[in-house]
Amino acid sequence: MIILGIETSCDETSAAVVVDGRDVRSNVVSSQVDLHARYGGVVPEIAARAHIERIDDVIAAALEDSGTSLDDMDAIAVTEGPGLIGALLVGLTAAKTISALSGKPLVAVDHLHAHVTSASITLDHDPFPAIALVVSGGHTSIYHVQDPLEPQLIGQTRDDAVGEAFDKVAAVLDLGYPGGPIIDKTARDGDPKAINFPISRIDDRPLDFSYSGLKTAVMYHVFGHGEKYGSASKLSATQLADITASFQRAAVKPLVDRTLRAVEQTGVRRVLVGGGVAANSALREMLTERCTAEDVTLHLTPMRYCTDNAAMIAAHADRLARADRFAELDLTPRAGLRRPRGAKSKSS
Ligand code: KG4
Ligand code: ZN
């Protein structure tokens, strides 16, 4: 089965052609990071406008790179949520238009479910049942995945997402945007135990996360209460490295602890990791170490499929299409967490 995937849920305009969920023939990603950098975060209206300007070229490039044409497609897949409404609407409109004009069926993909299963793109088998950790700018979630079409959410953040914490701490330290990759790099020269930032625990929901306290602790550390630098500009390179390394350890450790707790709780000894923050080197290292020590199989999503991309959308859509779960042309975008509205069986 050959599928054209389209992804526009946040600030990456992406299109990909994937055969049988694994053979990625093309994966074009046009990032808008430069447009949002000066605002320190994604501006929804700017994102939607940039998607409109780029979507046609990105789809054309994905088809060209793959050496295929629309005629070759078995289905058109698109992210229907969660995400920014205006941004989603652009991808959805493109996919629905192509579907209507070509007569190819439409598949609606949940962005988070695509992150959940993204590690399988480069495996030669489906890695389920599994515990999946999805860590991105908008989400910090643990899923129990028995059926990849119905991942069960068993843990999530109570406030900020972990990627958001990386971005906000980088802003506090004047390091630039997006913060994740910059903190990852800066932290390499630092001592992760230099500062004892709090590692949150939620007693009544042991698989949940909280990141707002950690962000506040870094702010106090920089601007006052305790060590009073007053401003990030007064920090030396060593201090910056120690602060970022210590923050990163406090951000990453609960992800690893909760994931292995989910393994214990469910008895499922296989872990998948996806989402933008899955690119973090400290997280990859700590997870590899702990999973090896505890004899748990770990599948880290390859870096190119960690941050938002349409290959994971087309790959996940392959499963939905094989299960006959197609969407109707009245499909609408969805901002928050819930089941895809348009995903219903063609035969029902
Ligand atoms: O999955 P993604 O591309 O978009 C969302 O769906 O949110 O994730 C983007 C997030 C940003 O917060 C970015 O700072 C973070 O992933 N990120 C990282 C790294 N690379 C990207 N965070 C930590 N370390 C990294 N190396
Ligand atoms: Zn994402």
Side-chain angles (χ1 to χ4, degrees):
M1 188 173 298
I2 177 161
I3 295 185
L4 170 67
I6 297 172
E7 153 66 38
T8 63
S9 66
C10 191
D11 61 341
E12 259 97 29
T13 316
S14 182
V17 174
V18 179
V19 179
D20 294 337
R22 294 213 157 76
D23 179 5
V24 179
R25 295 285 172 88
S26 65
N27 185 31
V28 177
V29 182
S30 171
S31 171
Q32 305 174 6
V33 160
D34 50 334
L35 298 181
H36 302 287
R38 73 157 113 156
Y39 303 102
V42 177
V43 183
E45 290 76 12
I46 294 177
R49 179 170 290 273
H51 285 308
I52 291 173
E53 287 167 2
R54 299 174 185 195
I55 190 78
D56 288 353
D57 289 347
V58 167
I59 292 172
L63 289 170
E64 196 184 324
D65 286 4
S66 68
T68 61
S69 72
L70 277 179
D71 280 350
D72 301 320
M73 299 303 138
D74 291 301
I76 312 299
V78 64
T79 305
E80 53 86 40
L84 303 169
I85 288 292
L88 288 164
L89 200 54
V90 179
L92 232 65
T93 306
K96 289 200 282 188
T97 307
I98 294 170
S99 169
L101 291 176
S102 65
K104 310 283 180 184
L106 187 66
V107 182
V109 178
D110 181 305
H111 182 83
L112 292 169
H113 292 182
H115 275 308
V116 163
T117 60
S118 59
S120 71
I121 299 175
T122 48
L123 299 176
D124 57 11
H125 58 284
D126 252 359
F128 309 111
I131 296 299
L133 173 70
V134 176
V135 278
S136 74
H139 301 278
T140 311
S141 310
I142 298 180
Y143 293 85
H144 182 192
V145 196
Q146 283 163 304
D147 173 358
L149 296 185
E150 304 287 348
Q152 302 298 310
L153 185 66
I154 56 173
Q156 62 185 318
T157 184
R158 293 290 183 89
D159 38 60
D160 292 352
V162 61
E164 196 179 347
F166 271 90
D167 294 338
K168 286 180 176 168
V169 164
V172 165
L173 297 172
D174 287 337
L175 289 175
Y177 173 85
I182 308 172
I183 288 186
D184 197 342
K185 195 158 165 252
T186 313
R188 261 170 226 160
D189 303 322
D191 172 7
K193 296 206 170 143
I195 304 145
N196 204 6
F197 288 130
I199 295 177
S200 74
R201 265 210 351 249
I202 297 165
D203 288 335
D204 59 327
R205 302 266 319 179
L207 297 180
D208 278 0
F209 303 91
S210 167
Y211 280 99
S212 64
L214 174 57
K215 175 192 66 190
T216 310
V218 177
M219 281 178 70
Y220 278 138
H221 184 82
V222 176
F223 295 127
H225 291 228
E227 294 194 43
K228 296 184 178 55
Y229 302 109
S231 151
S233 61
K234 294 191 184 141
L235 296 169
S236 69
T238 311
Q239 284 167 329
L240 258 184
D242 283 349
I243 293 172
T244 49
S246 302
F247 157 75
Q248 184 166 264
R249 177 174 177 274
V252 160
K253 193 169 180 306
L255 300 174
V256 179
D257 289 346
R258 309 285 201 278
T259 302
L260 282 144
R261 192 180 179 122
V263 166
E264 287 294 301
Q265 214 169 286
T266 57
V268 173
R269 306 196 66 78
R270 184 193 297 274
V271 167
L272 314 177
V273 191
V277 183
N280 184 265
S281 58
L283 175 61
R284 295 173 90 88
E285 227 168 80
M286 204 186 283
L287 268 170
T288 305
E289 212 169 274
R290 286 280 298 278
C291 287
T292 307
E294 298 186 25
D295 204 20
V296 172
T297 306
L298 173 66
H299 298 296
L300 292 164
T301 299
M303 302 284 245
R304 63 190 176 284
Y305 304 133
C306 279
T307 44
D308 289 348
N309 66 91
M312 70 176 187
I313 302 301
H316 192 69
D318 194 274
R319 293 189 177 88
L320 291 161
R322 282 173 204 276
D324 236 7
R325 289 180 40 174
F326 294 97
E328 303 295 332
L329 282 175
D330 62 359
L331 180 71
T332 50
R334 169 172 62 90
L337 285 172
R338 97 174 146 60
R339 287 197 52 192
R341 210 184 304 168
K344 55 187 173 195
S345 168
K346 219 183 181 185
S347 50
S348 66

